Amino acid sequence: MSKDLPQPQQSEEVDLGQLFKLIGNAFERFFKFIGSILNKLFLAFVWCVFFIKKHLIKFAIAGALGIGLGFVLEKTGEPVYESHMVVKQNYPSVGENLYATLSYYNDLVNQGDTETLANTLGIDTSEVDVSTILGFDMESIITENQKIKNFDKYRKELDSTLASTIKYKDYLKNEKDYNHQMQQITIWASDRSNLKEVFKKIVKGIEDNAYFKKERYKDSLELKKEEEYLQEALDKSDTLQETYKNILKESIKTNAEKGGQVNLTFEGNSEKDKTREYDLFMNDIKLREKLKENLRKQEEKKDIIEIISSKQDSGSIDNSKTLFGLDLGLKKYYAILFVVITFIVLVGLEFVRYLERFKDKI
């Protein structure tokens, strides 16, 4: 009867053997797949090398034509002047408002609606020719280190559990560029004499905004009240110190008359060793620091937007163009552009010739 019992050990060995075989086949297919991709990439690279070698003269001619066109445009084209103004925004949402305003100005420039642009800026067209304006731009001035500090400060303001889930790249993705305090405004124009007046009008437009004027009034009122409270507390602290000194003098005088010994410690090693005069002195320093910070804030809040530096009077010539995210001179721009167009055209012709092989089979 024992001969009829199943042999579990042999069955398990068979199952393990099949499992290892399946795993081996899976790895083999995976490596074959990776190998086929690398092989195709290598063949594509080889094809590109021979394709470029075959049409090298055509690419050279296209690049030379691009350089020639760029040279001609630099000599005969209308110069473009670029000027910058660095501003500091002292109130929240100023950057967002300024960004939206400049975007609206750009739309008017693209539409050629110089009349609306002049009216919006508040510029007299008899004095300034707004038709020479070619575009506006705004970008923040902030270093990578400052971004990291802002991220660290932002995380400290959150709950510890939530802060642990926030990553730096997610923070940068959601952080708006116009929220940073320091911003650089750029204007492009075909006449540099108009840039100074346009910059003035942009800043004036923010300063005259009813919402920001109301915010400035509220902040000014709040800071003024805080200054009064701090000054009152400081006066009381000074009075209290003077009173304490008088009491202390009387106490010293009385003890001296009685022949006692007087020991004073202004800052001891423990709380018991410290006199009240020392505590009052430290409190006085804190109040003065807060008052100094308050006065500084009041000075900053006087201007809604503050001009830090500018090159309003003499913009520099900028005839560069952007290609693939890079600012290039006219020669490099047209040289690369012509070579890229030539490459696309030749690849297209090569593809058409390849398809013609299957024309008879259809």
Side-chain angles (χ1 to χ4, degrees), residues 111-264:
Q111 294 168 15
D113 193 351
T114 55
E115 184 179 352
T116 304
L117 179 62
N119 292 334
T120 307
L121 284 168
I123 290 177
D124 187 355
T125 53
S126 62
E127 298 178 0
V128 178
D129 184 10
V130 294
S131 64
T132 61
I133 299 175
L134 304 175
F136 300 85
D137 188 32
M138 186 180 90
E139 61 179 349
S140 65
I141 300 177
I142 185 170
T143 63
E144 191 65 29
N145 288 337
Q146 189 60 48
K147 288 181 181 180
I148 294 173
K149 288 180 181 179
N150 291 345
F151 173 64
D152 184 58
K153 181 180 178 182
Y154 171 72
R155 289 186 62 184
K156 288 178 179 178
E157 295 174 352
L158 300 175
D159 179 75
S160 57
T161 305
L162 179 60
S164 62
T165 62
I166 305 296
K167 295 183 179 180
Y168 182 61
K169 62 179 181 179
D170 297 327
Y171 168 79
L172 291 180
K173 189 185 298 182
N174 296 318
E175 179 69 7
K176 300 299 183 183
D177 195 54
Y178 52 69
N179 286 334
H180 301 297
Q181 194 173 37
M182 305 294 290
Q183 299 287 335
Q184 177 176 275
I185 301 173
T186 304
I187 299 179
W188 290 276
S190 57
D191 184 1
R192 67 173 64 184
S193 63
N194 296 330
L195 298 175
K196 182 177 180 180
E197 189 64 25
V198 176
F199 275 124
K200 284 183 178 180
K201 293 300 181 180
I202 291 174
V203 173
K204 189 175 185 302
I206 297 295
E207 289 285 348
D208 292 342
N209 186 289
Y211 170 76
F212 294 125
K213 289 172 75 173
K214 185 178 179 181
E215 289 296 305
R216 179 172 58 185
Y217 172 76
K218 291 191 293 185
D219 283 0
S220 176
L221 193 64
E222 183 180 343
L223 289 169
K224 203 66 182 175
K225 283 290 182 184
E226 184 183 19
E227 180 192 356
E228 292 175 4
Y229 295 148
L230 287 171
Q231 190 62 57
E232 184 180 350
L234 192 59
D235 292 339
K236 288 182 179 180
S237 177
D238 291 340
T239 303
L240 193 58
Q241 284 189 71
E242 192 64 33
T243 303
Y244 183 77
K245 286 178 183 178
N246 292 333
I247 295 173
L248 191 60
K249 286 178 182 178
E250 289 296 325
S251 177
I252 293 172
K253 183 178 179 182
T254 303
N255 287 335
E257 289 175 353
K258 293 180 179 180
Q261 186 175 359
V262 179
N263 293 321
L264 291 178

Side-chain angles (χ1 to χ4, degrees), residues 19 29 47 52-53 89 104 111 220 231 248 256 287 341:
L19 177 62
R29 288 194 298 270
W47 180 87
I52 293 173
K53 181 181 178 182
Q89 48 190 35
Y104 174 61
Q111 294 168 15
S220 176
Q231 190 62 57
L248 191 60
L287 287 172
I341 292 174

Side-chain angles (χ1 to χ4, degrees), residues 328-353:
L328 304 170
L330 291 180
K331 296 176 184 177
K332 291 182 179 179
Y333 173 81
Y334 285 107
I336 295 174
L337 183 63
F338 278 28
V339 170
V340 170
I341 292 174
T342 303
F343 180 83
I344 293 173
V345 171
L346 291 175
V347 169
L349 294 174
E350 195 77 20
F351 181 69
V352 171
R353 282 195 291 269

